[in-house]
Amino acid sequence: MNNIMIGRFIPGDSWVHRLDPRTKMIATFIYILVMLWSNSWQTYAWSAAFLILLIKLTQQPFSLYWSGLKPIFWLILFTVFLQILFTPGEPVLFKAGPIIVTLPGIINAGYVIIRFVLIILMSTILTLTTPPTSIANALESLLAPLKKLRVPVAELALMLSIALRFVPLLMDETQKIMNAQKSRGMSFSNGGPIKRAKAIIPLLIPLFVGALQRALDLANAMEVRGFKDATQRTKYRILHYQQVDRIAFLGLGSFVAIFFVIKFIFHI
């Protein structure tokens, strides 16, 4: 298994696994909104504590989630670099020509790291504990009111389901191609940035060809099975809220309430 965890489902019987997928999608959306409002170490600490509790409830090792952060390390580092260089303020900690590093820039960079990590971990909890088909069904159910506005909700949910299913497949295919090319003497880690970028080109071509072939095979399989319109499909699993979902909404409401107490009542 490669390190890409987002989009990969791991079967289990934990409390989080048993939640209705709509509950988990709503919780993930609300948690991301809360992260966008967070602007102090106290609110981030409370959000991190809530997330750690959720990870414990999934009964999956924390190392699994941590390994999923490694592939996006450079993206986080690049974003932090921009925050440090382009955030004005006082006092100025370092100045060399156009490069100015300020204390607010360092603080914002730290907040960006925490925000990235928490949002990605929350999204990973959703995908690790929910099959792609359930996520698609939940999205279709939540967006059902938009059908009155002639929004193709069923088609959007189908595309999401296919996309989520293809993400881990493409990552596995990428790893296989890299291993095959390494066995033939190809190196992806030696040399400067330009040499590394050139080494990726032989990796992308077979990856795109394989992805197109998979898409064609899927289209043919759907056609021979009589698939015509996503809106006419019936559901094998009917979604129902249960007692565990009511408890989850209660816990989510408590998290949001305490967050706003910390943020607004104490003016942090």
Side-chain angles (χ1 to χ4, degrees):
M1 180 183 296
N2 58 58
N3 290 332
I4 300 295
M5 289 295 108
I6 294 181
R8 190 181 297 276
F9 169 64
I10 298 180
D13 191 36
S14 69
W15 185 81
V16 180
H17 280 83
R18 294 194 297 270
L19 288 173
D20 189 288
R22 294 171 295 180
T23 303
K24 288 182 275 190
M25 289 194 69
I26 293 172
T28 301
F29 179 73
I30 292 177
Y31 188 87
I32 292 175
L33 288 181
V34 167
M35 284 297 94
L36 297 179
W37 282 325
S38 186
N39 60 353
S40 67
W41 69 266
Q42 292 92 340
T43 53
Y44 280 119
W46 168 240
S47 302
F50 180 76
L51 186 67
I52 291 174
L53 174 62
L54 289 181
I55 292 177
K56 294 291 290 183
L57 292 175
T58 62
Q59 298 179 2
Q60 300 291 343
F62 187 80
S63 58
L64 185 67
Y65 294 89
W66 178 252
S67 64
L69 293 173
K70 294 180 181 179
I72 61 168
F73 171 76
W74 293 109
L75 174 62
I76 297 176
L77 188 63
F78 176 72
T79 307
V80 168
F81 180 74
L82 294 180
Q83 287 289 330
I84 293 176
L85 291 185
F86 297 103
T87 301
E90 296 289 340
V92 176
L93 303 179
F94 175 79
K95 184 175 182 181
I99 300 177
I100 301 177
V101 178
T102 64
L103 181 60
I106 297 294
I107 295 175
N108 287 340
Y111 288 163
V112 165
I113 293 176
I114 299 174
R115 185 177 300 154
F116 256 105
V117 170
L118 294 182
I119 289 177
I120 292 171
L121 289 178
M122 188 65 180
S123 302
T124 304
I125 290 175
L126 171 65
T127 57
L128 278 182
T129 61
T130 314
T133 54
S134 297
I135 294 178
N137 291 339
L139 180 65
E140 183 177 354
S141 176
L142 294 174
L143 297 182
L146 296 180
K147 292 181 180 179
K148 297 180 180 180
L149 301 177
R150 296 185 178 180
V151 176
V153 174
E155 285 77 6
L156 291 175
L158 177 63
M159 287 189 293
L160 175 64
S161 176
I162 294 175
L164 290 174
R165 185 68 185 93
F166 264 59
V167 168
L169 288 177
L170 290 177
M171 294 302 102
D172 291 338
E173 189 70 20
T174 301
Q175 191 63 46
K176 290 180 181 178
I177 297 174
M178 290 182 65
N179 292 337
Q181 294 189 1
K182 286 180 180 179
S183 67
R184 292 170 173 83
M186 176 67 72
S187 176
F188 296 96
S189 57
N190 295 332
I194 297 179
K195 185 177 180 180
R196 293 184 183 183
K198 290 181 178 179
I200 296 178
I201 296 177
L203 175 67
L204 295 178
I205 295 176
L207 182 63
F208 281 135
V209 172
L212 291 175
Q213 186 60 49
R214 286 180 182 272
L216 182 60
D217 293 341
L218 177 62
N220 292 334
M222 294 172 66
E223 185 176 358
V224 298
R225 285 168 174 79
F227 180 86
K228 294 181 180 180
D229 188 355
T231 58
Q232 298 178 358
R233 298 176 63 201
T234 57
K235 298 292 188 297
Y236 178 72
R237 293 182 177 86
I238 306 299
L239 300 179
H240 294 290
Y241 287 113
Q242 301 178 10
Q243 183 66 24
V244 65
D245 298 291
R246 300 183 183 93
I247 297 175
F249 279 120
L250 180 62
L252 179 64
S254 301
F255 161 71
V256 174
I258 295 176
F259 176 87
F260 281 111
V261 167
I262 297 174
K263 181 175 178 61
F264 293 112
I265 293 184
F266 293 102
H267 303 288
I268 295 177

